[in-house]
Amino acid sequence: MEYTLLILLLPLVSFFVLGLLGTRLKPCVAGWIGTLVLAVLTLVAYVTAWEYFSMPRVEGVYATLVPLNFEWLHFTQNLHLDLGILLDPISVMMLVVITTVSLMVHIYSMGYMNGERGFQRYYAFLSLFSFSMLGLVVATNIFQMYIFWELVGVSSYLLIGFYYTKPEAIAASKKAFIVTRFADLGFLIGILVLSFYTKTFSFDLLTSGDSSIFAGAAGSTFLGASVISWAMALIFIGGAGKSAMFPLHIWLPDAMEGPTPVSALIHAATMVVAGVYLVARLFPVYYFEAPDVLVAIAVIGAFTSLYAAVVACVQTDIKRVLAFSTISQIGFMMVALGVSGMEGHEGLGYMASMFHLFTHAMFKALLFLGAGAIIHAVHSNEMDRMGGLRKQLPVTHLTFLIACLAIAGIPPFSGFFSKDEILSAAFMFSPWIGWTMSVIAGLTAFYMFRLYYNIFWGKPAVHEHEPHEAPVNMTLPLVVLAAITCVAGFIPFGHFVTADGLVYDIHLNWTVAGTSIVIACVGIAIATVLYMKGTNPVPTRLAERFKGFYTAAYHRFYLDELWLFVTKRIIFGYISRPLAWFDRHVVDGAMNGMALVTQKVSWAIRGLQSGQVQQYAFIFLLGTLIIVLLLLYV
Amino acid sequence: MEEIRMEYYLIISTLMLFIGIYGFITRRNLLAVLISVELMLNSVDINFVVFNRYLFPDHLEGLFFSLFAIGVSAAETAVAIAIIINIYRNIRSIQTRELNTMKH
């Protein structure tokens, strides 16, 4: 399957062509080049997936293929960095997800970004992102993953800051880059610690289940936890940064300053699940070597999920609501991984997490693209500028509704199946986490329908132009994604991706499923009562009644302010400033002092070099006289 | 007639040398400085002749050397005056204190 190299080459070539020749091309030509390359790429990914999953299983497991691997940097026998392509069920699944969503976003952007300045640049960056993300998922070793991990960070930075004349966009792009980069520091240290003890970067060896490679770390502990636990926890911090886990989530809501299709592609469907993918990729290591970290992941995931769901309930910017909902859903995936086991039914969480990643990518991309169409129509992100749009935007309305139902967990849409599996896994692990996640699922249904009703129902806002449906190149991706959302739930996902690789038949646990449907319906019902007419005074009254809580949630519980306090006051004030003082006064001071002394001495003795020959002669004579006297009398 | 003792010549030439040195250092006029230089040269010439006459009467090297030195100093004076004239043409002054354009 050497042709899988095309998966990396095509977007890279497209990036260089568009990036170098972009300004010479007409915008629509650049758009078509990017889209066509992506279409071919999608085709290659589908063929890869088809061929991979139609291979016969070996001992009931899909073989892990490495069609390509070469040594990129050789340091020593043990230490060498490889680049290659690794195909296993999750990477193939990710290839399908990324190329599908990316293709939809490419098509959609032709309409959405039409006439924007820097249209060609936009497509060049999209190609760069596709390249980096695909490189990330097919990485054969953890270091290659790290390289592409940084590359997606860069392309995310470039795309968030696409409107580089807007101060908010610049601030958001910097924030996203700095926060994720800060988390990646943990990732890098984790990689180094892990590979120091295991003497390998390769995923193949790390996840082979062969515990002998961890023998080197046996007995090494640090602050009461084994070094492997520390390494895996640090690696998870990297994943938490990219996947916007609490408390490193602060960049994601701000990242909504970027163009909406970018939010759909990067900040909803693909890049933000890189952390989940990372944990899934290293899952055997977590499970066998660092089970304590896995529990921590579950707890952090659950807390993040709850936090984000609460915040999402009170936001008024529709993209912010979707951003927090993304954080919340990624929390679900993390919980599922955290509660998962390895064998058979125990490994349900792993399968559920990957399943939810798949379905979530589709319906969340759909939600964002729908939001883009709405913003395109009303030229605002704020909910109160919308309302009653279901007549003007029929296609967007219908597809958005499908996505809302999917994320709320109503059968037969895809979100129901994946979320149900997550809930089952959570209940299997502990009823506490199970009930928490169920409540969050209810909150999800509530805030999504609050969003839905505020946009499409209620009293229409006054618009300068009559809102009109988006052009066909924007509605087509919506329809395609909606269709996928309708049917994706019936994919026998357990036949493709499971923790131990063996076939697992999904069977609905109707106690859990029934509960979750009831909770989702309650959430939707409350939202319907409160927001459908748009005239119900209860929401305002509730907001008045719980004013403190409402304001706190609206300000995301002041976490941004907390971070600012920590960075600006504590780190800047107590670390950076003394360091700056030291640099300015001691380091620079030494240099300046030397210069100053030289200068002063020069001033003092410059009289000697007067240019007056007579003075020179006088001094010369004086010197001669002194020498003569010395010779005579000493 | 008693011969004039060598020391008297030497005293004269020493006086001339130091007057020349003093003039070289203190005079502000380039011409006066030049005259001082000539004084020093001449005092040395006197020394050559005197030492030759008193210490080595059979030889003539000292006499010839002083003649040679007088010739050189005449040439040197010609060059020096040419320089001074050029300086005067350029800055309308031959005061040493005003010859400081290279300093700035």
PDB file of all heavy atoms in Angstrom, chain A residues 285-312:
ATOM      1  N   VAL A 285      -0.288   1.423  26.684  1.00  0.00           N
ATOM      2  CA  VAL A 285       0.713   1.886  27.642  1.00  0.00           C
ATOM      3  C   VAL A 285       0.012   2.458  28.871  1.00  0.00           C
ATOM      4  O   VAL A 285       0.367   2.155  30.011  1.00  0.00           O
ATOM      5  CB  VAL A 285       1.628   2.942  27.003  1.00  0.00           C
ATOM      6  CG1 VAL A 285       2.752   3.281  27.962  1.00  0.00           C
ATOM      7  CG2 VAL A 285       2.167   2.463  25.681  1.00  0.00           C
ATOM      8  N   TYR A 286      -1.009   3.300  28.601  1.00  0.00           N
ATOM      9  CA  TYR A 286      -1.755   3.857  29.726  1.00  0.00           C
ATOM     10  C   TYR A 286      -2.379   2.743  30.558  1.00  0.00           C
ATOM     11  O   TYR A 286      -2.300   2.730  31.781  1.00  0.00           O
ATOM     12  CB  TYR A 286      -2.871   4.781  29.223  1.00  0.00           C
ATOM     13  CG  TYR A 286      -2.415   6.175  28.916  1.00  0.00           C
ATOM     14  CD1 TYR A 286      -2.296   6.598  27.601  1.00  0.00           C
ATOM     15  CD2 TYR A 286      -2.111   7.071  29.927  1.00  0.00           C
ATOM     16  CE1 TYR A 286      -1.880   7.880  27.304  1.00  0.00           C
ATOM     17  CE2 TYR A 286      -1.692   8.349  29.642  1.00  0.00           C
ATOM     18  CZ  TYR A 286      -1.576   8.755  28.332  1.00  0.00           C
ATOM     19  OH  TYR A 286      -1.159  10.013  28.053  1.00  0.00           O
ATOM     20  N   TYR A 287      -2.990   1.793  29.871  1.00  0.00           N
ATOM     21  CA  TYR A 287      -3.761   0.789  30.590  1.00  0.00           C
ATOM     22  C   TYR A 287      -2.864  -0.124  31.425  1.00  0.00           C
ATOM     23  O   TYR A 287      -3.167  -0.403  32.586  1.00  0.00           O
ATOM     24  CB  TYR A 287      -4.592  -0.033  29.606  1.00  0.00           C
ATOM     25  CG  TYR A 287      -5.488  -1.016  30.300  1.00  0.00           C
ATOM     26  CD1 TYR A 287      -6.589  -0.565  31.023  1.00  0.00           C
ATOM     27  CD2 TYR A 287      -5.231  -2.375  30.257  1.00  0.00           C
ATOM     28  CE1 TYR A 287      -7.410  -1.438  31.683  1.00  0.00           C
ATOM     29  CE2 TYR A 287      -6.051  -3.263  30.914  1.00  0.00           C
ATOM     30  CZ  TYR A 287      -7.141  -2.790  31.633  1.00  0.00           C
ATOM     31  OH  TYR A 287      -7.951  -3.661  32.294  1.00  0.00           O
ATOM     32  N   PHE A 288      -1.754  -0.565  30.829  1.00  0.00           N
ATOM     33  CA  PHE A 288      -0.936  -1.545  31.542  1.00  0.00           C
ATOM     34  C   PHE A 288       0.095  -0.900  32.463  1.00  0.00           C
ATOM     35  O   PHE A 288       0.431  -1.445  33.491  1.00  0.00           O
ATOM     36  CB  PHE A 288      -0.219  -2.466  30.549  1.00  0.00           C
ATOM     37  CG  PHE A 288      -1.168  -3.390  29.845  1.00  0.00           C
ATOM     38  CD1 PHE A 288      -1.346  -3.303  28.475  1.00  0.00           C
ATOM     39  CD2 PHE A 288      -1.895  -4.337  30.549  1.00  0.00           C
ATOM     40  CE1 PHE A 288      -2.225  -4.146  27.828  1.00  0.00           C
ATOM     41  CE2 PHE A 288      -2.772  -5.184  29.907  1.00  0.00           C
ATOM     42  CZ  PHE A 288      -2.943  -5.083  28.541  1.00  0.00           C
ATOM     43  N   GLU A 289       0.621   0.247  32.039  1.00  0.00           N
ATOM     44  CA  GLU A 289       1.751   0.803  32.782  1.00  0.00           C
ATOM     45  C   GLU A 289       1.362   1.972  33.675  1.00  0.00           C
ATOM     46  O   GLU A 289       2.080   2.310  34.599  1.00  0.00           O
ATOM     47  CB  GLU A 289       2.853   1.249  31.815  1.00  0.00           C
ATOM     48  CG  GLU A 289       3.323   0.164  30.874  1.00  0.00           C
ATOM     49  CD  GLU A 289       3.980  -0.999  31.618  1.00  0.00           C
ATOM     50  OE1 GLU A 289       4.575  -0.761  32.671  1.00  0.00           O
ATOM     51  OE2 GLU A 289       3.868  -2.130  31.124  1.00  0.00           O
ATOM     52  N   ALA A 290       0.270   2.665  33.329  1.00  0.00           N
ATOM     53  CA  ALA A 290      -0.069   3.853  34.113  1.00  0.00           C
ATOM     54  C   ALA A 290      -1.572   3.942  34.337  1.00  0.00           C
ATOM     55  O   ALA A 290      -2.216   4.896  33.915  1.00  0.00           O
ATOM     56  CB  ALA A 290       0.446   5.105  33.407  1.00  0.00           C
ATOM     57  N   PRO A 291      -2.164   2.937  34.974  1.00  0.00           N
ATOM     58  CA  PRO A 291      -3.624   2.966  35.151  1.00  0.00           C
ATOM     59  C   PRO A 291      -4.084   4.146  36.002  1.00  0.00           C
ATOM     60  O   PRO A 291      -5.193   4.648  35.821  1.00  0.00           O
ATOM     61  CB  PRO A 291      -3.918   1.636  35.843  1.00  0.00           C
ATOM     62  CG  PRO A 291      -2.629   1.174  36.384  1.00  0.00           C
ATOM     63  CD  PRO A 291      -1.561   1.734  35.529  1.00  0.00           C
ATOM     64  N   ASP A 292      -3.196   4.638  36.908  1.00  0.00           N
ATOM     65  CA  ASP A 292      -3.588   5.782  37.734  1.00  0.00           C
ATOM     66  C   ASP A 292      -3.817   7.017  36.876  1.00  0.00           C
ATOM     67  O   ASP A 292      -4.727   7.805  37.114  1.00  0.00           O
ATOM     68  CB  ASP A 292      -2.529   6.048  38.807  1.00  0.00           C
ATOM     69  CG  ASP A 292      -1.109   5.803  38.298  1.00  0.00           C
ATOM     70  OD1 ASP A 292      -0.978   5.352  37.145  1.00  0.00           O
ATOM     71  OD2 ASP A 292      -0.153   6.055  39.049  1.00  0.00           O
ATOM     72  N   VAL A 293      -2.974   7.174  35.828  1.00  0.00           N
ATOM     73  CA  VAL A 293      -3.146   8.320  34.933  1.00  0.00           C
ATOM     74  C   VAL A 293      -4.464   8.202  34.186  1.00  0.00           C
ATOM     75  O   VAL A 293      -5.157   9.195  33.945  1.00  0.00           O
ATOM     76  CB  VAL A 293      -1.964   8.412  33.945  1.00  0.00           C
ATOM     77  CG1 VAL A 293      -2.150   9.587  33.005  1.00  0.00           C
ATOM     78  CG2 VAL A 293      -0.661   8.545  34.686  1.00  0.00           C
ATOM     79  N   LEU A 294      -4.814   6.982  33.833  1.00  0.00           N
ATOM     80  CA  LEU A 294      -6.063   6.770  33.107  1.00  0.00           C
ATOM     81  C   LEU A 294      -7.254   7.240  33.938  1.00  0.00           C
ATOM     82  O   LEU A 294      -8.193   7.863  33.429  1.00  0.00           O
ATOM     83  CB  LEU A 294      -6.195   5.283  32.764  1.00  0.00           C
ATOM     84  CG  LEU A 294      -6.843   4.944  31.431  1.00  0.00           C
ATOM     85  CD1 LEU A 294      -6.285   5.787  30.312  1.00  0.00           C
ATOM     86  CD2 LEU A 294      -6.673   3.484  31.134  1.00  0.00           C
ATOM     87  N   VAL A 295      -7.212   6.960  35.240  1.00  0.00           N
ATOM     88  CA  VAL A 295      -8.284   7.434  36.111  1.00  0.00           C
ATOM     89  C   VAL A 295      -8.306   8.957  36.131  1.00  0.00           C
ATOM     90  O   VAL A 295      -9.368   9.593  36.024  1.00  0.00           O
ATOM     91  CB  VAL A 295      -8.103   6.870  37.535  1.00  0.00           C
ATOM     92  CG1 VAL A 295      -9.147   7.453  38.467  1.00  0.00           C
ATOM     93  CG2 VAL A 295      -8.184   5.356  37.512  1.00  0.00           C
ATOM     94  N   ALA A 296      -7.109   9.541  36.214  1.00  0.00           N
ATOM     95  CA  ALA A 296      -7.035  11.009  36.206  1.00  0.00           C
ATOM     96  C   ALA A 296      -7.623  11.559  34.915  1.00  0.00           C
ATOM     97  O   ALA A 296      -8.346  12.570  34.912  1.00  0.00           O
ATOM     98  CB  ALA A 296      -5.579  11.455  36.349  1.00  0.00           C
ATOM     99  N   ILE A 297      -7.352  10.880  33.811  1.00  0.00           N
ATOM    100  CA  ILE A 297      -7.895  11.339  32.528  1.00  0.00           C
ATOM    101  C   ILE A 297      -9.415  11.315  32.574  1.00  0.00           C
ATOM    102  O   ILE A 297     -10.084  12.252  32.126  1.00  0.00           O
ATOM    103  CB  ILE A 297      -7.365  10.454  31.380  1.00  0.00           C
ATOM    104  CG1 ILE A 297      -5.890  10.708  31.150  1.00  0.00           C
ATOM    105  CG2 ILE A 297      -8.147  10.711  30.095  1.00  0.00           C
ATOM    106  CD1 ILE A 297      -5.250   9.806  30.132  1.00  0.00           C
ATOM    107  N   ALA A 298      -9.959  10.244  33.135  1.00  0.00           N
ATOM    108  CA  ALA A 298     -11.413  10.149  33.219  1.00  0.00           C
ATOM    109  C   ALA A 298     -11.973  11.291  34.053  1.00  0.00           C
ATOM    110  O   ALA A 298     -12.961  11.938  33.675  1.00  0.00           O
ATOM    111  CB  ALA A 298     -11.820   8.804  33.822  1.00  0.00           C
ATOM    112  N   VAL A 299     -11.329  11.570  35.182  1.00  0.00           N
ATOM    113  CA  VAL A 299     -11.847  12.612  36.066  1.00  0.00           C
ATOM    114  C   VAL A 299     -11.744  13.980  35.400  1.00  0.00           C
ATOM    115  O   VAL A 299     -12.703  14.768  35.385  1.00  0.00           O
ATOM    116  CB  VAL A 299     -11.082  12.600  37.406  1.00  0.00           C
ATOM    117  CG1 VAL A 299     -11.465  13.792  38.250  1.00  0.00           C
ATOM    118  CG2 VAL A 299     -11.367  11.301  38.145  1.00  0.00           C
ATOM    119  N   ILE A 300     -10.585  14.244  34.796  1.00  0.00           N
ATOM    120  CA  ILE A 300     -10.412  15.538  34.123  1.00  0.00           C
ATOM    121  C   ILE A 300     -11.415  15.671  32.985  1.00  0.00           C
ATOM    122  O   ILE A 300     -12.047  16.718  32.798  1.00  0.00           O
ATOM    123  CB  ILE A 300      -8.969  15.673  33.595  1.00  0.00           C
ATOM    124  CG1 ILE A 300      -7.997  15.801  34.749  1.00  0.00           C
ATOM    125  CG2 ILE A 300      -8.839  16.883  32.674  1.00  0.00           C
ATOM    126  CD1 ILE A 300      -6.554  15.745  34.344  1.00  0.00           C
ATOM    127  N   GLY A 301     -11.584  14.594  32.245  1.00  0.00           N
ATOM    128  CA  GLY A 301     -12.542  14.627  31.138  1.00  0.00           C
ATOM    129  C   GLY A 301     -13.932  14.937  31.635  1.00  0.00           C
ATOM    130  O   GLY A 301     -14.641  15.782  31.076  1.00  0.00           O
ATOM    131  N   ALA A 302     -14.335  14.270  32.702  1.00  0.00           N
ATOM    132  CA  ALA A 302     -15.693  14.476  33.217  1.00  0.00           C
ATOM    133  C   ALA A 302     -15.856  15.899  33.714  1.00  0.00           C
ATOM    134  O   ALA A 302     -16.865  16.563  33.429  1.00  0.00           O
ATOM    135  CB  ALA A 302     -15.972  13.487  34.346  1.00  0.00           C
ATOM    136  N   PHE A 303     -14.867  16.392  34.436  1.00  0.00           N
ATOM    137  CA  PHE A 303     -14.983  17.746  34.963  1.00  0.00           C
ATOM    138  C   PHE A 303     -15.036  18.769  33.834  1.00  0.00           C
ATOM    139  O   PHE A 303     -15.872  19.673  33.831  1.00  0.00           O
ATOM    140  CB  PHE A 303     -13.808  18.059  35.897  1.00  0.00           C
ATOM    141  CG  PHE A 303     -13.909  19.420  36.491  1.00  0.00           C
ATOM    142  CD1 PHE A 303     -14.826  19.654  37.500  1.00  0.00           C
ATOM    143  CD2 PHE A 303     -13.159  20.472  36.006  1.00  0.00           C
ATOM    144  CE1 PHE A 303     -14.968  20.916  38.034  1.00  0.00           C
ATOM    145  CE2 PHE A 303     -13.297  21.733  36.536  1.00  0.00           C
ATOM    146  CZ  PHE A 303     -14.207  21.955  37.556  1.00  0.00           C
ATOM    147  N   THR A 304     -14.133  18.611  32.857  1.00  0.00           N
ATOM    148  CA  THR A 304     -14.128  19.524  31.713  1.00  0.00           C
ATOM    149  C   THR A 304     -15.479  19.520  31.023  1.00  0.00           C
ATOM    150  O   THR A 304     -16.024  20.563  30.656  1.00  0.00           O
ATOM    151  CB  THR A 304     -13.051  19.087  30.713  1.00  0.00           C
ATOM    152  OG1 THR A 304     -11.833  18.924  31.392  1.00  0.00           O
ATOM    153  CG2 THR A 304     -12.899  20.104  29.611  1.00  0.00           C
ATOM    154  N   SER A 305     -15.981  18.320  30.862  1.00  0.00           N
ATOM    155  CA  SER A 305     -17.246  18.163  30.163  1.00  0.00           C
ATOM    156  C   SER A 305     -18.362  18.911  30.893  1.00  0.00           C
ATOM    157  O   SER A 305     -19.136  19.659  30.282  1.00  0.00           O
ATOM    158  CB  SER A 305     -17.550  16.673  30.096  1.00  0.00           C
ATOM    159  OG  SER A 305     -18.579  16.432  29.214  1.00  0.00           O
ATOM    160  N   LEU A 306     -18.398  18.752  32.205  1.00  0.00           N
ATOM    161  CA  LEU A 306     -19.435  19.411  32.998  1.00  0.00           C
ATOM    162  C   LEU A 306     -19.266  20.923  32.944  1.00  0.00           C
ATOM    163  O   LEU A 306     -20.219  21.672  32.666  1.00  0.00           O
ATOM    164  CB  LEU A 306     -19.337  18.924  34.450  1.00  0.00           C
ATOM    165  CG  LEU A 306     -20.318  19.569  35.428  1.00  0.00           C
ATOM    166  CD1 LEU A 306     -21.742  19.214  35.026  1.00  0.00           C
ATOM    167  CD2 LEU A 306     -20.047  19.111  36.845  1.00  0.00           C
ATOM    168  N   TYR A 307     -18.064  21.354  33.168  1.00  0.00           N
ATOM    169  CA  TYR A 307     -17.763  22.791  33.163  1.00  0.00           C
ATOM    170  C   TYR A 307     -18.190  23.423  31.848  1.00  0.00           C
ATOM    171  O   TYR A 307     -18.907  24.431  31.808  1.00  0.00           O
ATOM    172  CB  TYR A 307     -16.267  22.974  33.402  1.00  0.00           C
ATOM    173  CG  TYR A 307     -15.734  24.320  33.023  1.00  0.00           C
ATOM    174  CD1 TYR A 307     -15.849  25.400  33.887  1.00  0.00           C
ATOM    175  CD2 TYR A 307     -15.121  24.516  31.789  1.00  0.00           C
ATOM    176  CE1 TYR A 307     -15.373  26.642  33.526  1.00  0.00           C
ATOM    177  CE2 TYR A 307     -14.647  25.755  31.421  1.00  0.00           C
ATOM    178  CZ  TYR A 307     -14.772  26.812  32.291  1.00  0.00           C
ATOM    179  OH  TYR A 307     -14.302  28.040  31.921  1.00  0.00           O
ATOM    180  N   ALA A 308     -17.742  22.806  30.744  1.00  0.00           N
ATOM    181  CA  ALA A 308     -18.011  23.399  29.437  1.00  0.00           C
ATOM    182  C   ALA A 308     -19.507  23.393  29.146  1.00  0.00           C
ATOM    183  O   ALA A 308     -20.035  24.342  28.563  1.00  0.00           O
ATOM    184  CB  ALA A 308     -17.259  22.632  28.349  1.00  0.00           C
ATOM    185  N   ALA A 309     -20.200  22.335  29.582  1.00  0.00           N
ATOM    186  CA  ALA A 309     -21.632  22.272  29.321  1.00  0.00           C
ATOM    187  C   ALA A 309     -22.354  23.387  30.066  1.00  0.00           C
ATOM    188  O   ALA A 309     -23.249  24.042  29.513  1.00  0.00           O
ATOM    189  CB  ALA A 309     -22.180  20.911  29.740  1.00  0.00           C
ATOM    190  N   VAL A 310     -21.956  23.634  31.310  1.00  0.00           N
ATOM    191  CA  VAL A 310     -22.602  24.701  32.077  1.00  0.00           C
ATOM    192  C   VAL A 310     -22.348  26.047  31.413  1.00  0.00           C
ATOM    193  O   VAL A 310     -23.259  26.865  31.242  1.00  0.00           O
ATOM    194  CB  VAL A 310     -22.089  24.702  33.533  1.00  0.00           C
ATOM    195  CG1 VAL A 310     -22.571  25.938  34.259  1.00  0.00           C
ATOM    196  CG2 VAL A 310     -22.541  23.450  34.247  1.00  0.00           C
ATOM    197  N   VAL A 311     -21.099  26.273  31.019  1.00  0.00           N
ATOM    198  CA  VAL A 311     -20.775  27.557  30.404  1.00  0.00           C
ATOM    199  C   VAL A 311     -21.538  27.724  29.089  1.00  0.00           C
ATOM    200  O   VAL A 311     -22.022  28.818  28.773  1.00  0.00           O
ATOM    201  CB  VAL A 311     -19.258  27.684  30.183  1.00  0.00           C
ATOM    202  CG1 VAL A 311     -18.935  28.950  29.423  1.00  0.00           C
ATOM    203  CG2 VAL A 311     -18.539  27.682  31.508  1.00  0.00           C
ATOM    204  N   ALA A 312     -21.646  26.622  28.345  1.00  0.00           N
ATOM    205  CA  ALA A 312     -22.315  26.707  27.040  1.00  0.00           C
ATOM    206  C   ALA A 312     -23.766  27.135  27.187  1.00  0.00           C
ATOM    207  O   ALA A 312     -24.341  27.697  26.260  1.00  0.00           O
ATOM    208  CB  ALA A 312     -22.229  25.366  26.322  1.00  0.00           C
TER     209      ALA A 312
END
